[in-house]
Each structure stands twice: as structure tokens, then as C-alpha cells.
Amino acid sequence: MSRSRILNKFLLRRFFSGVGLVMLIVCGIILAVTFVERLPSNSHAVAALRDSWIRLLEYVPLFLPLAVFMGTLLTSYNLTKSSENIIISGAGLSPFQATRPFLIGAFLIGAFATTVINPYSVSISTQAITSDNLQLIDNKIWLRESSDSGFITMQASDVHNTPDTLIFENVSIYTQDTQFRLKERVNAQNVILSDKKITATDANIWLADGTMKKSDWSTDTLLTPQTILDRYLQPDQISFWQLPQFIRKMESIGAPVRGHLVQFWTLLFLPLTMIAMAMLGVAFSQTKQRRNYNFGTKFSLGIITCFALYFIVNMFNALGATGTLPPILAIIAPPLIIIAAAGTFITSFDTI
């Protein structure tokens, strides 16, 4: 095995160790905080721990770029502190050659997050759908159906799902004829949407003549639980592997898909974002000092820079979601700019 391959494996191993340590600390803090936060609202500790785990997976895309940056900076600091950077330079590796294992590791982390963590997170989070998972209007769930017999409009404050049904809470249903005249209003604590049928138990029903009665109520509908979820789920509640087909389906019915396109391109180019953050970490770790390396200052400046970049990336995402920029351009522009700036700095910095 050649000397460069041995060094590349060594650097890749150190990179994964650094990022893994940062991820372990960050995940531990988030899991502990969310567990304490969820404990009062759950019947037992196991349920609270499961909710905390689901919430942690939802947070992974937010802190993963920061973790890659901090892990890269930590790895570079340890290499400098132990004088291993001198050995690497003495072996003939240029700054870019020494950076290559970090970039490969960052790419693998991004690819794993996109293809494995995201689908897994979506699969377990959508097992228990609530209003937090849906795109709401005025903090309410609104459904409307038109047919040859008239119109049905439903408003609910929350929703839960079972394998075959959706259960809506605090529901008001308005039925109208084809001339938009109100036929009846139904208020119920819970309404169940099964396959093409809406059912309410012990509901208050107001008829068009003003009389009120209390009884069970049901009506046929073209809506199904799956069509509701397809229409109202937020983009981050759809798996990376399902997004292309979902986007084509939504485009075919004329529904807006900019948010879903932004989510798809974000996940697809997540490895590029990880590479950009690793490059940024290497750029911040460049130093002419082999002793008294001021890690604290560089780490603090790097964190501030990451938060500034996070704001810029969110701004580009918003521009893509509103149509000001093409979604793909809004996603790839920030990491490409970061890579270009970090690469220029690494090239111009004399580390010897």
C-alpha cells in the first residue's frame, strides 16, 4: 500500500472521529433537552424518549453542516497540536491533498444523511401525524370538496392518523348545495375520515331551518386519508426517494411545488453542502503556529461565520421557495461560493 493511501486512510479516520465526537455531544444535548421537555406530555418515559428521538432526527439537517465544520476544525487542531501536520507535510502532501480525505468524508456523511437518515426520519415521524406536520391556514386544517351534489367544507384544529384513517379534532363541517346555500352545519369533537367516508359520533347538527339535533353523522366523500396527506404534508415530511414522484403528481394537478423542489434540491446537494463546510473548516484551521495554536479564537470566529452562512443559506432558500430564484440555483449557489472562497484562502496560505 502506498504512503499516500495510508495517510489518506489515517486522515479519513481522524475526520470521522472528530465529526463523530461533535455529533455525539450535540445529539446528547438535544436529546436530553427534548426528553425533559416531552416528559410531562407523555404517559411514560419510553414514549417521551421516542418523541425525543423523532425530534432529534428532525433537527439533524439543521446542525449537521455545523457539526461537519466543527469536526473538521477539531480534527485539524488535534493534528496541529500533535505535530502530525508536520509529518503529513514532510510526506509531500500539499494542503489540497491533505484536505481531500476530509472532503471525501464530508461527501459520505451528506450522502448518508440524504439517502438513509432522511427516509428513516420521515418514516417514523409520519407514523404519528399531527397538525405540526401539515401546511396550515390560520393555524387550522381546512378541507374542501366539490361534487355534483354540492360542497363540503371542514375545519379542524388538529389531526391524528391510524393505519387506515385520519382522526380530526374540534371539527366544524359545512355542507352546501350546488347554489352555495347552507344545508347543515356539523360540530363534533372527533371526525373520522376513512376510505371515501366521513363519520362523526355524537355530533351537534344544525339544519337549514335553524333546528338542532344531536346524533351520529356521516357522508360519502371522494377524499381519502392518503390524498389528504399528499396534499397537505409539509415538504420535509416527504422522503427524498418519494419527492420526485410526488412533485410530478402535484404538478399534474396544478398544485404549487416550489417548496418541495427546494426540499428535493436541498437533500440532493446536501453532500455538496457538507463538502463546503469541510472546506471552510480547513480554511479556518490554517495557521503558521505549531505551538500555542489559538483554537478558541478560531473556533469562535468559525461559529459566528457559520451562523452568518446559515442566515444567508436560509435567505437563498426563501428566494427559491418564492420563485425569485430558480430552486436549484438557490440551493447550489451558497456552497459553491463557500468552496471557492475557502479554496482560494487555502491555496494562498503558506502553511510551511
Side-chain angles (χ1 to χ4, degrees):
M1 185 180 294
S2 67
R3 181 172 54 187
S4 62
R5 289 185 63 185
I6 294 174
L7 284 174
N8 285 335
K9 286 189 175 182
F10 167 76
L11 291 173
L12 188 62
R13 196 162 52 244
R14 293 294 293 271
F15 172 79
F16 281 132
S17 298
V19 175
L21 178 60
V22 173
M23 287 287 291
L24 186 63
I25 294 173
V26 175
C27 289
I29 294 173
I30 294 177
L31 190 63
V33 171
T34 53
F35 175 73
V36 173
E37 182 185 62
R38 298 279 174 172
L39 197 55
S41 60
N42 285 275
S43 57
H44 49 82
V46 175
L49 185 61
R50 182 181 183 278
D51 281 355
S52 303
W53 174 249
I54 294 173
R55 184 66 64 181
L56 173 64
L57 292 175
E58 293 175 354
Y59 286 147
V60 165
L62 297 178
F63 67 77
L64 188 58
L66 182 62
V68 168
F69 167 80
M70 293 193 303
T72 304
L73 197 58
L74 179 63
T75 302
S76 299
Y77 166 70
N78 288 331
L79 292 174
T80 300
K81 185 180 179 181
S82 62
S83 298
E84 289 170 314
N85 267 341
I86 302 174
I87 301 173
I88 294 170
S89 299
L93 265 66
S94 67
F96 270 114
Q97 288 175 323
T99 302
R100 185 167 55 194
F102 294 172
L103 304 186
I104 293 173
F107 175 85
L108 293 176
I109 290 173
F112 182 77
T114 294
T115 58
V116 178
I117 294 179
N118 171 261
Y120 173 68
S121 172
V122 168
S123 67
I124 64 172
S125 65
T126 52
Q127 289 175 3
I129 292 292
T130 67
S131 59
D132 294 335
N133 304 122
L134 305 181
Q135 302 183 67
L136 305 184
I137 301 173
D138 297 331
N139 294 322
K140 298 289 185 180
I141 302 167
W142 289 89
L143 302 177
R144 183 174 175 82
E145 179 192 9
S146 61
S147 64
D148 294 339
S149 59
F151 304 89
I152 299 175
T153 304
M154 184 169 75
Q155 172 196 300
S157 62
D158 206 350
V159 63
H160 303 282
N161 66 319
T162 66
D164 301 317
T165 64
L166 287 178
I167 303 172
F168 297 90
E169 296 182 358
N170 300 321
V171 183
S172 296
I173 300 175
Y174 304 89
T175 63
Q176 299 167 284
D177 60 21
T178 55
Q179 302 300 317
F180 299 99
R181 289 188 294 265
L182 184 66
K183 294 166 59 178
E184 59 184 0
R185 188 185 82 187
V186 180
N187 284 359
Q189 184 65 33
N190 293 298
V191 167
I192 298 174
L193 172 64
S194 56
D195 191 14
K196 299 185 178 181
K197 195 172 190 64
I198 301 176
T199 304
T201 303
D202 199 24
N204 295 322
I205 305 171
W206 281 267
L207 303 177
D209 58 7
T211 59
M212 192 271 282
K213 63 179 181 178
K214 196 176 187 69
S215 68
D216 295 342
W217 178 89
S218 66
T219 184
D220 295 331
T221 177
L222 299 176
L223 299 174
T224 65
Q226 190 58 47
T227 58
I228 297 301
L229 295 180
D230 285 349
R231 178 63 182 84
Y232 291 99
L233 276 179
Q234 296 181 11
D236 60 0
Q237 294 297 322
I238 303 170
S239 166
F240 169 75
W241 300 112
Q242 296 172 343
L243 269 171
Q245 180 181 1
F246 182 86
I247 290 171
R248 288 194 295 269
K249 181 178 178 180
M250 297 296 284
E251 286 179 331
S252 66
I253 62 175
V257 294
R258 285 199 188 99
H260 299 85
L261 283 172
V262 168
Q263 175 70 2
F264 174 72
W265 294 122
T266 298
L267 292 173
L268 183 64
F269 288 105
L270 186 59
L272 181 65
T273 302
M274 298 300 102
I275 290 174
M277 299 310 294
M279 285 281 288
L280 188 66
V282 172
F284 268 90
S285 67
Q286 299 300 297
T287 180
K288 295 178 182 178
Q289 296 176 320
R290 295 194 178 106
R291 295 184 181 182
N292 301 322
Y293 179 46
N294 197 344
F295 176 74
T297 301
K298 287 182 175 288
F299 185 81
S300 301
L301 290 174
I303 295 299
I304 294 173
T305 303
C306 280
F307 279 112
L309 292 174
Y310 179 76
F311 171 78
I312 294 172
V313 168
N314 281 346
M315 182 184 70
F316 271 84
N317 286 351
L319 292 175
T322 57
T324 306
L325 287 176
I328 186 172
L329 179 61
I331 298 305
I332 67 172
L336 290 179
I337 293 171
I338 295 171
I339 290 172
T344 302
F345 183 81
I346 294 171
T347 303
S348 62
F349 197 92
D350 183 13
T351 59
I352 305 301

